[in-house]
Structure formats: C-alpha cells, structure tokens
Amino acid sequence: MKISVDISMYPLNEDYCQPIIDFIEAMEEQPKVSVQRNSMSTHIYGEFADVMRAMSSEIEQVLEKLPTTVFVIKLIGTDREKVNYRGCE
C-alpha cells in the first residue's frame, strides 16, 4: 500500500536548523522513498513498509542525539505525490 507522510521536526534547542537539514538529507538518501522539501514540513512518499522503516531508523538516530526533539507526523493511506491542487472552487 502506498502512503504519503507530512512530517515536521522541532529540535528544542538553539541550534535547530542543522539537525533538521541533516534529518531531511538522511531521508533523501533512503532507498525506495521519495522526499519533497517544503518551507513548513517535509513530504515523504512510498510503500508503507519502506516509508515507516526509513522514518523509524532516522527518527531513532535523531532522538538518540537530541532527545528533546518533537516530531509531528501525518499519514494518509494513498499516494498524494502526483496530485495537483488548484484550491477550493
């Protein structure tokens, strides 16, 4: 099953930019997932097992280094990567 994930990362420390960039770059290196950067969050697409495996691995590494980091994750059970939105009409 394909899924789409919207994930935001909030390291609760003064040096918050680099950990976010490192996390996104690590996710982009994961096989079998597609990552799109946005200004407010990051979108991850792929098969459920692949996406969850990649996120689990990378989130665990972040929390080991920065245990006060907050992740906000939204999941939808379909591939929204190629959907074009024209807004509400």
Side-chain angles (χ1 to χ4, degrees):
M1 166 178 67
K2 296 268 187 184
I3 66 167
S4 302
V5 175
D6 179 272
I7 185 169
S8 299
M9 178 180 158
Y10 303 98
L12 301 179
N13 61 14
E14 289 183 27
D15 178 30
Y16 62 89
C17 287
Q18 194 59 51
I20 294 169
I21 293 166
D22 292 345
F23 174 77
I24 294 169
E25 288 176 349
M27 287 301 302
E28 290 173 334
E29 292 175 7
Q30 292 290 324
K32 300 182 182 180
V33 299
S34 174
V35 177
Q36 290 181 354
R37 297 178 185 216
N38 295 293
S39 60
M40 297 287 293
S41 63
T42 300
H43 296 163
I44 305 167
Y45 306 98
E47 292 293 330
F48 179 85
D50 297 329
V51 171
M52 298 306 286
R53 186 178 310 110
M55 285 195 321
S56 176
S57 172
E58 297 306 328
I59 290 171
E60 182 177 15
Q61 289 183 39
V62 168
L63 294 176
E64 286 175 350
K65 294 176 191 170
L66 299 167
T68 59
T69 300
V70 175
F71 285 92
V72 176
I73 302 170
K74 295 181 274 184
L75 299 104
I76 185 168
T78 185
D79 185 355
R80 306 299 289 175
E81 181 176 18
K82 301 198 178 13
V83 174
N84 291 322
Y85 293 99
R86 293 177 25 204
C88 297
E89 299 177 342

